[in-house]
Amino acid sequence: MEVIAVGTAAIDVVHEVAAYPEEDTKARSLATRKCRGGNAATAMVVCSQLGGRCRWLSTSMDPAKDSDAAFIHADLASFNVDCSLAVIETEGSMPVSYILSSRATGSRTIVHSRTITELDVESFKKQVERYLTDISQDMNAPVWFHFEGRNMETVRQMMLHLRENVPQAKISVEIEFPRYPWTLAKTLASLADFVFMSKDYLRDNINIGSAQEFFEMIRNQQWDEDWNQWVKAFICPWGSEGVYYLEMSGTAMHHIPAAQLDRVVESNGAGDSFIGASLAGLSRGNVPLELVIKTACDVATVKCSQHGFKLPDEMILKWQQDLQLENSGEIDDQVLDSRITDTEQTPHSVTSEVEVELELVSQTDEGSGHLFAVPLLSALVEDDDGDIVVPRKQARKRMKSEQHVDSGDEAANKVNTTKTNNLRSTDAVFVLEARSRTTWDTAGTQLWRAALLLAEYIYNSPELFAGQTVLELGCGIGFTSIVASRMSRCVYGTDCDESALRLATRNAKRNSHGDLRFRLLDWNNGNAISTIGATPSSTYGWTPSDQAELESLTTIIASDVFYDDSTTILFLRALRRLMVQYNRAKAYVSLERRSVFSAVAMRVVSLGYDAFQDHICSHEPSTCHMRICENQIRCRACSAATTGNKEEEFLRFVVHDIVINDFPQRFKYDRLSSLMLWVIDAVVIP
């Protein structure tokens, strides 16, 4: 059936900036573009590309006389969205949105302006009658109306008109704008077949903290509305958790997990893309709601990875095939299951992008990775007058070439800095093997920017690492462990992925290093830390001599270990156990803050980073903190706010930022503003 969207079409003027500027400052625009925007119009553009027959209904200036209106109408026409129902106004101007888009986070801030008259009820009635009599020429033709949910009293009257005069119409509405009270919004929801509920609206207007709570209140008739007369389903995007939905024909709440992106390019219009894709599926007739929402999440995720709303042709074909079920008769459950789980069965691949910034030397003999040359740049030194001092080149003392790597047999632990693949590293050039693209679960076999940042900090802070015993959590290819071993007395590089440890061992053989040992350590195993010193159970198992060595552990390092919230919590639990067991240890952690679009959350969140921030103790030390030992404190405020009694559930840390511009860059890579570095000084004890 045809889909008619009632709502805004606007001009979007987008300015891309490196990062959000502070108030009362100037910022250079890295790119500026003019494009068509607006919730309803954008939804129709996406819906049309997925095979929907779409129309836009709202007020508009005359495109023959107004350049902005002409621009909007031409853009919609290029996507086969019909504009013939637009009500032409003679006064005002087309809505304009000025959008500041941050390249650092992918998020955006919008300033909206409009002077054109809003669509009124009488104009809407006339256009509906015109559509049924003159355009479709069938008063009983099935049709789908989608409403933005702005000007709610007006929209309520429009929806009532459809229910009373166009009974065959299907209706959907989005409840998003917080300025309208729930007493009015719930009447709109009760008149719709499908309701898109904003998480922020529920939290800010009804004080509801979860989709489950909202659905329970719907089921319990909390608001005395007849939800069963029209409503087929409530659909609730819920931030980083993904999308929850409730079909009124059943009792169970359903959940579609959030999709992840390596990097968000542009989040503007992602929510509208989700709704447009949903309408493309819903308007077909009998496509299962689960498949519709999964497809819509996929579409919205792809939108966030690109500028504009022209979807990739190859993906359009796939999505159209996924949604082509309306004329297939009995649906084959096996085919349906394969379509629903297709994205779950195909691992999501990721790339660190560092490979394009480094010199690619060759492919490894193993064929699964590449060798990269990573030169150590000379640090610039200034004299008292600010002039650069160029030191005389001197022969550098080479590091020990035979040290502990792997584990088990002490003799087998000895490795040499050797010639590998006809390449030889030097103290000033690292030769590193790394994979260029992996799935999330093997991402540690790539080289990441945060590892380069942490290695730079180690190089620039020899006084912090000299003579220390260091343990790296999530060492991956072993780069930062190798660097740390050049400065420290002994370094343990740990990881839960044995393939990463094998790769790290090969890298250790290629590069000069100090006392370096690679060991298996699984954060998910609550006993993994306490069993240090047990009999080795694998090539990289812990040896009895490790226990004595770790008694002097003072420094923990980790880079880019925050991939999602659950991994972050596992890391923090492991870090807490280490800091409690070794009460002189502090941690240095680097991270590239990555944005994740969570299936039409209407905004961008940073998985992992946000969870880490939630576990930082920010209370005033002078009034709240009492030092227990070198790396442990007791915080009155944290203890008062915590209900649990288990120490393992008490995850609070005292953290300080390290300003990365305060030390020179020592490797050639893009030092993004999203790179961060912290020192974790203490763990909070309940």
Side-chain angles (χ1 to χ4, degrees), residues 39 123 126 185 193 246 303 342 348 402 430 456 507 531 555 613:
N39 293 22
S123 297
K126 290 178 181 178
D193 293 277
L246 174 70
K303 162 64 199 89
D342 178 60
H348 183 68
E402 294 187 351
F430 292 89
E456 287 174 336
N507 282 329
T531 56
T555 307
Q613 294 294 312

Side-chain angles (χ1 to χ4, degrees), residues 203 240-241 562 564-566 568-569 572 591 593 603 605-619 638 641-642 649-655 678 684:
R203 285 185 169 178
S240 61
E241 298 176 27
F562 299 167
D564 53 39
D565 290 354
S566 59
T568 302
I569 298 303
L572 293 178
L591 168 72
R593 180 179 179 180
R603 63 187 179 89
V605 297
S606 299
L607 291 181
Y609 170 86
D610 293 340
F612 176 69
Q613 294 294 312
D614 290 341
H615 291 84
I616 293 177
C617 173
S618 57
H619 300 116
C638 286
T642 303
E649 295 179 355
F650 197 90
L651 288 176
R652 293 289 186 276
F653 299 87
V654 178
V655 180
W678 299 285
V684 180

Side-chain angles (χ1 to χ4, degrees), residues 82-95:
D82 189 286
C83 301
S84 62
L85 292 178
V87 177
I88 303 301
E89 299 289 341
T90 58
E91 296 182 357
S93 60
M94 296 301 293

Side-chain angles (χ1 to χ4, degrees), residues 300-568:
T301 302
V302 169
K303 162 64 199 89
C304 281
S305 68
Q306 64 177 43
H307 292 296
F309 298 94
K310 176 62 178 75
L311 302 175
D313 291 338
E314 66 277 10
M315 296 305 298
I316 289 176
L317 179 61
K318 175 188 180 300
W319 292 325
Q320 287 180 341
Q321 290 173 344
D322 287 345
L323 297 175
Q324 286 288 352
L325 294 174
E326 62 176 334
N327 296 319
S328 60
E330 190 70 24
I331 300 175
D332 188 320
D333 288 340
Q334 186 174 1
V335 172
L336 177 59
D337 289 343
S338 67
R339 291 185 180 185
I340 289 176
T341 60
D342 178 60
T343 56
E344 298 172 356
Q345 294 174 348
T346 303
H348 183 68
S349 60
V350 294
T351 179
S352 72
E353 299 180 352
V354 172
E355 62 172 295
V356 301
E357 301 168 0
L358 300 175
E359 178 187 353
L360 176 62
V361 178
S362 70
Q363 189 168 346
T364 61
D365 292 339
E366 291 81 5
S368 59
H370 299 85
L371 291 179
F372 297 94
V374 185
L376 181 63
L377 305 179
S378 298
L380 298 180
V381 180
E382 297 180 353
D383 61 18
D384 294 338
D385 297 325
D387 298 321
I388 295 176
V389 176
V390 181
R392 182 183 298 275
K393 185 176 180 180
Q394 297 179 351
R396 297 180 60 185
K397 182 179 179 181
R398 295 193 61 82
M399 307 296 294
K400 290 188 293 182
S401 62
E402 294 187 351
Q403 293 297 346
H404 289 284
V405 176
D406 293 347
S407 64
D409 186 354
E410 292 295 322
N413 281 342
K414 304 289 186 180
V415 298
N416 296 315
T417 304
T418 61
K419 187 174 181 180
T420 305
N421 284 9
N422 297 320
L423 296 170
R424 185 181 296 276
S425 69
T426 69
D427 287 350
V429 178
F430 292 89
V431 175
L432 298 173
E433 177 186 346
R435 295 183 180 135
S436 59
R437 195 169 187 84
T438 66
T439 55
W440 276 111
D441 57 343
T442 57
T445 57
Q446 297 187 55
L447 177 60
W448 299 88
R449 291 190 183 97
L452 293 166
L453 176 67
L454 182 58
E456 287 174 336
Y457 181 73
I458 294 171
Y459 260 118
N460 287 290
S461 308
E463 71 283 358
L464 297 178
F465 293 87
Q468 305 301 310
T469 297
V470 179
L471 185 144
E472 181 174 12
L473 291 170
C475 68
I477 68 170
F479 175 54
T480 48
S481 286
I482 292 170
V483 171
S485 73
R486 293 186 175 189
M487 306 290 176
S488 309
R489 188 176 68 84
C490 176
V491 173
Y492 285 89
T494 70
D495 205 290
C496 66
D497 182 2
E498 195 159 348
S499 66
L501 293 176
R502 289 193 295 269
L503 195 156
T505 301
R506 295 197 294 271
N507 282 329
K509 292 178 179 179
R510 293 185 177 99
N511 298 275
S512 61
H513 57 80
D515 189 345
L516 176 58
R517 316 174 187 196
F518 292 116
R519 300 289 186 263
L520 273 172
L521 187 60
D522 186 356
W523 306 340
N524 201 33
N525 183 351
N527 296 320
I529 304 296
S530 61
T531 56
I532 287 178
T535 302
S537 58
S538 72
T539 305
Y540 297 100
W542 296 89
T543 68
S545 63
D546 293 330
Q547 184 67 58
E549 187 67 59
L550 285 171
E551 288 300 324
S552 60
L553 179 65
T554 55
T555 307
I556 300 167
I557 59 175
S559 65
D560 237 338
V561 293
F562 299 167
Y563 293 108
D564 53 39
D565 290 354
S566 59
T567 304
T568 302

Side-chain angles (χ1 to χ4, degrees), residues 590-607:
S590 63
L591 168 72
E592 182 177 346
R593 180 179 179 180
R594 295 179 179 85
S595 300
V596 175
F597 176 73
S598 299
V600 301
M602 310 299 180
R603 63 187 179 89
V604 175
V605 297
S606 299
L607 291 181

